[in-house]
Amino acid sequence: MNTSAKHDAWSAGDSYEQYMGRWSRQVAVKYLDWLNAPNNLDWIDVGSGAGALSAAILDQCNPKSVHGIEQSEGFVTHAKSTITDDRAEFSVGDAQNLIIETGSIDVVSSALVLNFVPDKHAALTEMKRVAKPGGIVSFYVWDYPGISVGFMSAFWKAAAKLDDKAEDLKEGKRFPFCTPEGLTELCHKAGLKSVTVKAIDIECVFPTFDDFWHPFTLGAGPAPGYCMSLDEPHREALRGLLKETIGSKGEIVMPARAWAIKSEV
Ligand SMILES: C[S@@+](CC[C@H](N)C(=O)[O-])C[C@H]1O[C@@H](n2cnc3c(N)ncnc32)[C@H](O)[C@@H]1O
């Protein structure tokens, strides 16, 4: 694992829900509206995490089946216990080597995962391999180099003021390819054609500063992983700086943008 990836802690479903799941769910709803896939299809959700996208597919798309494939056993256990729909199945697996038959899936989807996969080309090639002819390969990632996710940007900006090393951990630096051009190029290299890109914007609303800060103390995800690697005085200094800069006026409202990609196979 490279040093910037060492805080990418994915395992505890409840903690993830508070940090990212609640926002990921909002993007999933808009993404599926855009995808506008027919009913009664077989879907996979690559890197399904705690199940945010799978749950939205079940709610919105009337699928025949949804199979979530996720590397973290903790997340798979969480998804199995919270999503009990008979059409859903969750397995531990790797996006770079999918445990799925070639040409068997109508809609291959993935939410906020591709940038974390070490070999993105392998993941996209696998996503294409398992799609049926005429099927869809589609995914979304945060617009890290651009509008990004307001609460992450605010966190890293404050962290970098207190710790030089935090500068290199910012997702915008780690994932510069998360632009329409960068993602389209990755898709083309994996043999995906007729690629379309759509911006999906949401607003992250935190009623209080504690609602903003608490998820960073739960350790699930890169920024929370970094936050919990700090000793108590340094963490308190970071909390204090954030409270002073963004948390002094009550409700905090921040934008977030994801890029959604679709390709017909
Ligand atoms: C930001 S979370 C997104 C989770 C979920 N899709 C959502 O929208 O809430 C990234 C997820 O990708 C998973 N992941 C990262 N690399 C993976 C890989 N090579 N294979 C499968 N899952 C992977 C992580 O374990 C984590 O659950």
Side-chain angles (χ1 to χ4, degrees), residues 129-202:
R129 175 184 69 77
V130 303
K132 281 183 186 166
I136 293 171
V137 172
S138 177
F139 64 91
Y140 55 89
V141 293
W142 292 122
D143 169 29
Y144 291 112
I147 288 177
S148 191
V149 184
F151 62 87
M152 279 185 213
S153 305
F155 175 92
W156 288 120
K157 189 172 169 194
K161 281 198 175 145
L162 302 173
D163 173 6
D164 290 345
K165 288 195 281 307
E167 186 62 35
D168 289 337
L169 302 175
K170 290 179 178 173
E171 285 88 348
K173 275 204 162 175
R174 292 178 58 197
F175 310 130
F177 51 86
C178 290
T179 60
E181 301 73 25
L183 295 166
T184 303
E185 193 185 330
L186 279 173
C187 287
H188 286 162
K189 282 188 178 153
L192 292 164
K193 301 201 175 95
S194 56
V195 174
T196 44
V197 186
K198 162 92 177 146
I200 299 182
D201 291 302
I202 62 162

Side-chain angles (χ1 to χ4, degrees), residues 19-36:
Y19 175 60
M20 188 53 74
R22 53 181 162 160
W23 315 119
S24 169
R25 280 169 204 285
Q26 289 188 21
V27 181
V29 169
K30 292 188 169 191
Y31 159 73
L32 293 173
D33 279 347
W34 171 66
L35 210 54
N36 196 23

Side-chain angles (χ1 to χ4, degrees), residues 232-260:
E232 187 64 38
H234 284 94
R235 191 159 53 249
E236 197 40 42
L238 178 54
R239 195 189 89 84
L241 181 56
L242 278 163
K243 172 108 186 164
E244 191 188 305
T245 47
I246 57 154
S248 57
K249 296 196 186 94
E251 183 180 77
I252 300 167
V253 181
M254 293 178 153
R257 168 171 287 179
W259 294 117

